């Protein structure tokens, strides 16, 4: 019989973690971001955040932040694969009206948005290597997620009135993020983000065997455009890593399930039902950071009615590579449908690793 203690520990492992960024650490992040913006000015940095001077400052200054910042943004520690970090101070007026789309957000003249971008790059650099995608939001290193007119029913972050189905971020690509960092600027209607972990689902051995067999491809989502002319290799949906723990590549909206055999489709449907069963739905409040382990948990968003009056829900997102993570060796041969990462911090992380680290940073599986 299980002891009460072990049951409590099991329950705890399944909960979403909550962490606090202590006030001094939160203030240090905001203050450093403020200083960097003033030192560099706004003009050249706003649109893509690629400016070498900005990136060099971030690289140089990130070590000044207290260790408690790195501790707060480390990858989720429980089987839930997601963590809410509280304590980053934001004031609604500093961001101006919610922009009409990601393009307008990137060109926003409101300094508060740029300052939060810089704060996010600092936080993301504490966690790993922040990166963007050339084909998504102009390769911007911090993406803006706002509802956009005409995209209400799309399976992308610009949608609103439709359920954004649970998915692995950029599941189609071998260089997808290990960790997603989402920060909430405003969310007046308390619209919930959903997260579900593959480490909480229960599957039969038969279903697991089907889902670990490469059967169908995963295609790029609509935010990358729709003009692709690349072979689409079949991928496993679930992969057990070297420790035997399950990882997931899941994006049903972009998976041609009709091409799969009935046994696979049934197993996929049971996985989908299990992910729904174990779903958490935190409604992020301004200043809250959601960390999602993109190898373990899928995320989505409940439907909502967009306001389009400048007060809409507004999140920012950073993709982060964790250099110490290994992925399936077979993924290194995937072509990624021509999509390329913008990864300005990667070379410096790998150089640091070469200078004497004994871990597996810079592994060939994830160049
Ligand atoms: Fe997503």
């Amino acid at each position: 019989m299980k002891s009460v203690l072990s049951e409590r520990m099991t329950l705890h492992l399944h909960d979403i973690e909550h962490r606090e960024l202590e006030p001094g650490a939160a203030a240090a992040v905001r203050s450093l971001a403020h200083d960097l913006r003033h030192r560099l000015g706004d003009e050249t940095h706003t649109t893509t955040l690629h400016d070498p001077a900005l990136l060099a400052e971030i690289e140089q200054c990130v070590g000044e932040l207290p260790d408690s910042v790195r501790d707060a943004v480390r990858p989720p520690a429980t089987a839930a694969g997601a963590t809410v970090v509280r304590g980053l101070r934001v004031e609604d007026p500093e961001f101006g009206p919610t922009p009409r789309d990601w393009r307008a957000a990137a060109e926003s003249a409101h300094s508060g948005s740029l300052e939060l971008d810089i704060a996010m790059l600092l936080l993301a650099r504490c966690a790993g290597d922040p990166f963007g995608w050339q084909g998504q939001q102009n390769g911007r290193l911090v993406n803006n997620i706002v509802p956009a007119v005409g995209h209400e029913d799309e399976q992308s972050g610009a949608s609103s009135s439709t359920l954004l189905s649970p998915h692995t971020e950029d599941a189609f690509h071998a260089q997808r993020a290990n960790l997603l960092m989402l920060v909430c600027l405003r969310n007046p209607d308390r619209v919930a983000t959903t997260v579900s972990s593959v480490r909480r689902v229960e599957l039969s051995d038969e279903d697991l065997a089907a889902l670990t067999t490469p059967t169908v491809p995963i295609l790029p989502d609509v935010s990358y455009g729709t003009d692709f002319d690349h072979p689409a290799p079949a991928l496993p949906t679930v992969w057990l890593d070297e420790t035997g723990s399950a990882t997931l590549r899941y994006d049903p909206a972009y998976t041609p399930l009709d091409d799969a055999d009935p046994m696979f489709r049934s197993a996929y449907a049971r996985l989908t039902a299990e992910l729904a069963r174990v779903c958490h739905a935190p409604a992020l409040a301004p200043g809250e950071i959601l960390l999602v382990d993109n190898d373990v948990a899928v995320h989505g968003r409940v439907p909502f009615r967009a306001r389009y009056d400048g007060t809409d829900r507004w999140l920012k997102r950073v993709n982060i590579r964790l250099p110490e993570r290994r992925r399936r060796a077979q993924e290194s041969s995937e072509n990624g449908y021509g999509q390329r990462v913008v990864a300005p911090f990667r070379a410096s992380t790998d150089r640091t690793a070469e200078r004497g680290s004994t871990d597996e940073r810079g592994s060939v599986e994830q160049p």
Side-chain angles (χ1 to χ4, degrees):
M1 193 173 80
K2 277 186 193 168
S3 73
V4 172
L5 181 62
S6 73
E7 277 187 8
R8 278 194 188 140
M9 287 176 72
T10 307
L11 279 173
H12 174 72
L13 282 172
H14 289 171
D15 287 342
I16 282 196
E17 264 182 296
H18 286 86
R19 297 179 190 153
E20 290 291 332
L21 190 58
E22 58 184 51
V29 172
R30 290 299 316 247
S31 152
L32 184 51
H34 179 81
D35 289 351
L36 289 182
R37 185 178 71 75
H38 275 269
R39 210 181 301 164
L40 297 163
D42 296 356
E43 294 302 318
T44 57
H45 313 294
T46 308
T47 312
T48 61
L49 304 168
H50 292 182
D51 181 64
L54 170 64
L55 300 174
E57 288 279 5
I58 286 168
E59 193 67 340
Q60 193 178 333
C61 296
V62 74
E64 297 170 14
L65 291 170
D67 285 344
S68 58
V69 176
R70 271 169 284 281
D71 192 52
V73 296
R74 72 193 189 281
T78 73
T83 301
V84 174
V85 183
R86 296 178 174 137
L88 191 68
R89 294 255 315 271
V90 297
E91 303 291 341
D92 194 77
E94 68 180 313
F95 304 119
T98 301
R100 66 182 181 282
D101 57 25
W102 64 263
R103 228 177 268 276
E107 291 161 2
S108 166
H110 280 269
S111 54
S113 176
L114 175 60
E115 213 163 283
L116 193 64
D117 290 333
I118 296 172
M120 285 191 73
L121 284 177
L122 289 165
L123 289 166
R125 188 62 182 131
C126 284
D129 298 346
F131 69 92
W133 295 93
Q134 282 177 5
Q136 189 178 57
Q137 299 199 7
N138 257 341
R140 201 170 197 272
L141 294 173
V142 178
N143 297 152
N144 287 282
I145 300 173
V146 294
V149 172
H151 297 263
E152 289 83 356
D153 298 320
E154 209 170 81
Q155 283 298 307
S156 82
S159 70
S160 50
S161 57
T162 192
L163 174 81
L164 181 58
S165 305
H167 60 280
T168 303
E169 192 73 2
D170 304 310
F172 71 94
H173 206 290
Q175 293 184 47
R176 65 198 175 278
N178 302 112
L179 185 69
L180 298 180
M181 179 181 284
L182 293 155
V183 174
C184 177
L185 283 69
R186 63 174 61 110
N187 187 12
D189 297 318
R190 306 282 292 159
V191 177
T193 304
T194 63
V195 278
S196 304
S197 168
V198 71
R199 302 218 169 141
R200 294 200 54 207
V201 302
E202 292 175 10
L203 294 168
S204 68
D205 291 345
E206 293 76 21
D207 285 348
L208 196 55
L211 292 166
T212 51
T213 303
T215 306
V216 278
I218 305 174
L219 304 172
D221 77 57
V222 70
S223 65
Y224 290 94
T226 52
D227 187 19
F228 299 111
D229 186 23
H230 287 85
L235 304 170
T237 305
V238 175
W239 175 58
L240 303 179
D241 68 16
E242 58 264 41
T243 68
S245 302
T247 64
L248 188 61
R249 270 179 98 164
Y250 176 86
D251 195 351
Y254 295 97
T255 302
L257 290 167
D258 289 345
D259 297 346
D261 59 79
M263 196 172 77
F264 180 86
R265 288 208 301 269
S266 299
Y268 200 95
R270 281 188 283 274
L271 170 64
T272 299
E274 277 293 291
L275 289 170
R277 183 181 67 81
V278 302
C279 180
H280 290 278
L284 296 178
E288 286 187 338
I289 302 168
L290 178 65
L291 300 172
V292 179
D293 187 328
N294 196 42
D295 293 324
V296 170
V298 292
H299 66 281
R301 191 217 60 240
V302 302
F304 69 103
R305 182 186 295 271
R307 302 168 169 219
Y308 300 135
D309 64 353
T311 66
D312 266 312
R313 177 180 185 263
W314 184 0
L315 306 184
K316 287 177 182 282
R317 173 187 62 207
V318 186
N319 299 295
I320 301 168
R321 170 210 187 211
L322 300 176
E324 65 276 18
R325 284 268 177 102
R326 294 180 79 89
R327 289 227 174 92
R328 291 185 319 128
Q330 294 91 322
E331 294 192 16
S332 62
S333 63
E334 291 179 21
N335 63 47
Y337 301 88
Q339 296 301 315
R340 302 260 175 274
V341 295
V342 179
F345 298 103
R346 187 159 297 187
S348 109
T349 298
D350 292 346
R351 268 200 309 277
T352 306
E354 280 167 19
R355 281 202 300 266
S357 168
T358 54
D359 69 17
E360 292 164 330
R361 286 168 180 241
S363 72
V364 292
E365 280 83 355
Q366 198 184 51

